[in-house]
Amino acid sequence: MKFQVCLSVFLCVTGVAFSWENNWDGPFEFMCPHGQSIRRITSNHNNRAEDRQWRFECSNTGAVASCVWSGYVNDFDQPLLFQCPNNGVITGISSYHNNNAEDRRFKFHCCSISGRSLTNCRFSLSYSNTFDGYLNFYVPNNQVLKGAFSYHSNGAEDRRWKFEVCQSS
């Protein structure tokens, strides 16, 4: 959705508004268009809801050989470690929130890229967010998203995240 904001008769700013994939405490299921994978993950935490809203962006990765959804890969209040199998890249994420645990469970959609293999895979050394902080992760140029790791804090009622990226050749 495009928008325009005019601060005075002489200054107008035009941009593109975005919406979150979920409402506070609400589920979401996001999938990139065919032939694309997740390129950016953005998330905002709210202490009143003790939840995060999520937004994703995609970029072209090439022809897809096969795709599959994982089952839920974490229990509430437990660590999450996920890596797409079979040279797969993350092309979708689904999640639901539980108010008793004040946490989310996640599952991932993975697709393998035709005629390509993933090399030099590594998790980021630092976390992409602080507890209760904004998350803004970009997959570096010429790389793809293969995996995710997070852990939950009952004190903060939030998760910290690291992501695994690979070169695709």
Side-chain angles (χ1 to χ4, degrees), residues 38-56:
I38 292 179
R39 175 70 172 186
R40 181 180 179 192
I41 301 173
T42 309
S43 181
N44 187 39
H45 187 267
N46 178 284
N47 281 326
R48 185 171 177 197
E50 293 297 6
D51 190 24
R52 286 187 168 273
Q53 288 181 306
W54 295 87
R55 181 172 180 260
F56 307 95

Side-chain angles (χ1 to χ4, degrees), residues 44-101:
N44 187 39
H45 187 267
N46 178 284
N47 281 326
R48 185 171 177 197
E50 293 297 6
D51 190 24
R52 286 187 168 273
Q53 288 181 306
W54 295 87
R55 181 172 180 260
F56 307 95
E57 295 176 17
C58 304
S59 65
N60 291 327
T61 51
V64 171
S66 63
C67 300
V68 64
W69 275 104
S70 70
Y72 286 102
V73 299
N74 68 299
D75 289 323
F76 295 118
D77 298 334
Q78 298 300 311
L80 173 158
L81 175 60
F82 178 77
Q83 296 170 292
C84 285
N86 305 319
N87 273 327
V89 298
I90 296 176
T91 59
I93 300 176
S94 178
S95 178
Y96 71 94
H97 184 265
N98 178 286
N99 281 326
N100 291 330

